[in-house]
């Protein structure tokens, strides 16, 4: 992608193109509507703000006072894990202020606010933030540092072109994310629609001890590993994170050390039903169905593999849906035990005695078909999202690099 900049691009300091770079208001948040909305760092989640969830604060100033927000303002996190991250206020209540541990930049008429907000996501910006923070953004950002930031400034027409293009790509990216979220919610709803809640069992499905469906519950192996993922030609051991989200993530692994002899019998294969026997109280009993796995990845000791009998009256897709159903999983989590301060653990013996609801075959087939269709769409959406993220990064880098390369030839004095 090439962008022809029709006018010379100069580099200016952020102070030169800002009407305000200042701190917010010190106050205590409250859920009572006693004053303006009170924007805090914690209210900015994944680049979004749900103003209905933003608390209020007691503030007697007028809308023209310095702490008041308006569309076009950009706020920055000053400290903590989000230091340097920014958020463009596209819309906000008329009566709203921001907390003192945020910094607000109000762009002047010489710069497009959306262009400036996109610049604050670029490697150029982050390089300056890290450099100004002595090698780590954790040391914090202040208004003085922000004022010194060097920003490439093409014409307003070109700024709008860059902002419009990146906004369009970002809009498509957000739509994909929303679709993936809705698809994640769809499978549990389909499960309930076909089988009913497994605990209340409204269809009166018969129940069998899990051991009657199983040939074995296999355990893994947890040797000392390298502190990095296994290369494609190396053996590795899965981490708990490979199943924690109830989907199989093969990248969550650690490389086996060269002095260890692999155990091929523990290699994860397509069709495996994996179960975390030990984790925190909230995360234990996660279940993942493996659709595909690269070779040379083995089970760890903290993950079980359920091996079903060939004639078991349960399909793997159904069992995955059952173990990930909210009410059934809470029931299974109650099997976990452990001493104070240790992670809860579910034993094989307790799992074998667990009663499993056995729906009719035709309903299991119906669910399996829905499961496979939804997973296929999710994979397509995820691939589309990856492509959009690559496109956004490429466009961002090239558009701002075009400005930056020309700006080096221009005077900083405007």
């Amino acid at each position: 992608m090439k962008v022809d900049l029709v006018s010379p691009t100069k580099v200016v300091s952020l102070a030169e193109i800002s009407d305000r770079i200042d701190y917010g208001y010190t106050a205590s948040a409250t859920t009572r509507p006693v004053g303006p909305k009170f924007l805090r760092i914690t209210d900015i989640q994944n680049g979004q703000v749900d103003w209905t969830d933003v608390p209020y604060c007691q503030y007697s100033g007028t809308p023209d006072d310095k702490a008041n927000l308006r569309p076009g303002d950009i706020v920055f996190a000053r400290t903590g894990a989000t230091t340097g991250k920014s958020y463009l206020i596209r819309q906000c209540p008329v009566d709203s202020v921001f907390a003192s541990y945020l910094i607000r930049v109000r762009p002047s008429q010489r710069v497009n606010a959306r262009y400036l907000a996109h610049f604050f996501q670029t490697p150029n910006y982050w390089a300056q933030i890290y450099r100004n923070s002595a090698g780590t953004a954790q040391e914090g950002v202040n208004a003085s540092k922000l004022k010194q930031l060097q920003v490439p400034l093409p014409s307003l027409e070109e700024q709008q072109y860059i902002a419009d293009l990146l906004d369009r790509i970002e809009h498509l990216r957000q739509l994909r994310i929303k679709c993936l979220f809705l698809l994640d919610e769809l499978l549990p709803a389909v499960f309930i629609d076909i089988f009913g809640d497994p605990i209340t069992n409204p269809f009166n499905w018969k129940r069998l001890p899990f051991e009657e469906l199983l040939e074995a519950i296999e355990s893994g192996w947890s040797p000392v590993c390298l502190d990095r993922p296994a290369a494609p030609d190396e053996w590795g051991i899965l981490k708990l994170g490979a199943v924690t989200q109830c989907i199989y993530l093969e990248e969550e692994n650690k490389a086996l050390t060269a002095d260890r002899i692999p155990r091929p019998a523990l290699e994860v294969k397509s069709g495996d039903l994996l179960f975390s026997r030990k984790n925190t109280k909230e995360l234990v009993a996660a279940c993942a169905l493996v659709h595909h796995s690269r070779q040379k990845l083995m089970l760890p000791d903290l993950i079980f593999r359920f091996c079903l009998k060939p004639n078991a009256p349960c399909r793997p897709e159904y069992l995955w849906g059952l173990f990930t159903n909210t009410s059934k999983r809470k029931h299974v989590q109650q099997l976990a035990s452990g001493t104070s301060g240790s992670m809860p653990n579910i034993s094989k013996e307790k799992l074998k005695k667990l009663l499993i609801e056995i729906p009719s075959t035709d309903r299991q087939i119906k669910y399996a078909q829905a499961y496979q269709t939804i997973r296929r769409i999710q994979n397509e959406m995820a691939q589309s999202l990856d492509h959009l993220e690559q496109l956004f990064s490429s466009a961002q880098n090239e558009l701002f690099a075009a400005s930056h390369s020309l700006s080096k030839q221009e005077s900083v004095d405007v």
Side-chain angles (χ1 to χ4, degrees):
M1 180 185 298
K2 291 293 181 184
V3 177
D4 294 325
L5 300 177
V6 297
S7 61
T9 301
K10 297 183 178 182
V11 169
V12 299
S13 69
L14 184 59
E16 293 177 80
I17 52 175
S18 301
D19 288 338
R20 283 181 174 174
I21 300 180
D22 50 15
Y23 302 109
Y25 181 61
T26 301
S28 296
T30 177
T31 56
R32 295 186 300 113
V34 295
K37 287 285 189 173
F38 187 51
L39 183 68
R40 306 159 302 167
I41 294 175
T42 52
D43 298 316
I44 304 172
Q45 299 292 332
N46 300 317
Q48 303 291 325
V49 170
D50 184 349
W51 285 98
T52 60
D53 292 335
V54 176
Y56 299 86
C57 72
Q58 290 186 332
Y59 180 70
S60 58
T62 68
D64 292 329
D65 285 351
K66 79 165 194 172
N68 197 269
L69 287 168
R70 72 184 188 194
D73 286 352
I74 303 171
V75 293
F76 291 77
R78 291 173 58 186
T79 59
T82 58
T83 295
K85 288 190 176 181
S86 60
Y87 172 71
L88 171 64
I89 306 293
R90 294 178 183 265
Q91 58 179 356
C92 62
V94 173
D95 198 14
S96 56
V97 297
F98 63 106
S100 60
Y101 38 84
L102 290 170
I103 304 175
R104 184 260 309 279
V105 170
R106 177 165 292 170
S108 72
Q109 294 183 349
R110 296 175 57 199
V111 63
N112 184 296
R114 293 181 297 119
Y115 166 85
L116 194 56
H118 281 298
F119 171 75
F120 293 140
Q121 314 301 320
T122 64
N124 181 350
Y125 162 76
W126 283 108
Q128 294 185 66
I129 289 295
Y130 279 98
R131 183 168 62 249
N132 291 339
S133 299
T136 170
Q138 293 292 334
E139 290 192 5
V141 174
N142 57 43
S144 296
K145 291 178 181 179
L146 285 182
K147 288 177 181 179
Q148 298 169 19
L149 284 175
Q150 299 296 294
V151 182
L153 193 70
S155 68
L156 281 170
E157 180 182 6
E158 293 160 55
Q159 292 176 39
Q160 182 170 337
Y161 169 81
I162 292 172
D164 288 348
L165 178 59
L166 293 177
D167 277 354
R168 285 196 292 270
I169 300 174
E170 177 62 16
H171 177 66
L172 291 174
R173 194 180 76 87
Q174 291 299 328
L175 287 176
R176 295 296 186 274
I177 291 173
K178 184 176 181 180
C179 286
L180 285 169
F181 175 79
L182 293 174
L183 287 168
D184 281 339
E185 292 187 325
L186 181 58
L187 265 177
V190 170
F191 183 93
I192 292 295
D193 183 61
I194 295 176
F195 305 115
D197 182 89
I199 300 302
T200 60
N201 196 13
F203 294 108
N204 293 316
W205 307 118
K206 69 177 181 180
R207 289 176 165 130
L208 294 175
F210 199 18
E211 61 185 347
E212 294 189 20
L213 313 177
L214 295 167
E215 282 191 338
I217 298 178
E218 294 183 349
S219 300
W221 174 44
S222 293
V224 175
C225 293
L226 301 175
D227 192 21
R228 62 168 177 80
D233 60 342
E234 290 182 310
W235 283 90
I237 300 286
L238 293 181
K239 300 191 295 185
L240 267 178
V243 301
T244 298
Q245 299 179 44
C246 292
I247 55 175
Y248 177 62
L249 302 174
E250 65 176 28
E251 63 271 19
E252 289 289 322
N253 70 79
K254 287 188 175 183
L256 195 66
T257 57
D259 60 331
R260 294 285 184 174
I261 299 175
R263 300 182 184 181
L266 298 179
E267 187 177 15
V268 178
K269 300 184 184 302
S270 176
D272 283 350
L273 195 62
L274 307 182
F275 178 89
S276 61
R277 68 168 181 86
K278 190 173 185 178
N279 207 326
T280 63
K281 182 179 179 180
E282 296 76 18
L283 298 179
V284 71
C287 185
L289 180 58
V290 180
H291 301 287
H292 175 271
S293 181
R294 51 151 284 190
Q295 296 180 334
K296 298 185 176 182
L297 291 181
M298 295 176 287
L299 288 175
D301 178 56
L302 299 182
I303 295 178
F304 286 149
R305 173 162 50 196
F306 296 148
C307 302
L308 298 177
K309 292 178 178 178
N311 61 345
C314 284
R315 296 179 63 100
E317 297 92 345
Y318 164 72
L319 282 175
W320 175 86
L322 180 67
F323 276 98
T324 57
N325 171 268
T326 300
S327 60
K328 188 68 174 184
R329 184 175 178 185
K330 287 180 180 178
H331 178 72
V332 175
Q333 288 174 329
Q334 292 174 4
L335 301 177
S337 60
T339 59
S340 177
S342 67
M343 289 198 299
N345 176 66
I346 302 177
S347 69
K348 289 183 181 181
E349 292 308 311
K350 288 184 177 180
L351 278 172
K352 288 178 181 179
K353 303 302 179 185
L354 177 70
L355 292 179
I356 300 295
E357 292 71 27
I358 311 296
S360 61
T361 301
D362 60 329
R363 294 213 180 194
Q364 290 193 47
I365 291 173
K366 182 179 180 181
Y367 177 76
Q369 291 171 340
Y371 174 94
Q372 292 162 7
T373 298
I374 292 171
R375 285 296 187 221
R376 175 179 54 78
I377 296 173
Q378 283 179 317
N379 289 335
E380 292 172 355
M381 284 288 179
Q383 291 176 9
S384 176
L385 178 59
D386 286 342
H387 292 153
L388 284 170
E389 288 177 341
Q390 293 171 17
L391 176 61
F392 183 87
S393 179
S394 175
Q396 181 189 64
N397 290 340
E398 191 147 352
L399 288 167
F400 282 101
S403 295
H404 185 61
S405 62
L406 283 183
S407 66
K408 290 181 179 179
Q409 305 170 23
E410 301 295 327
S411 169
V412 174
D413 185 20
V414 183

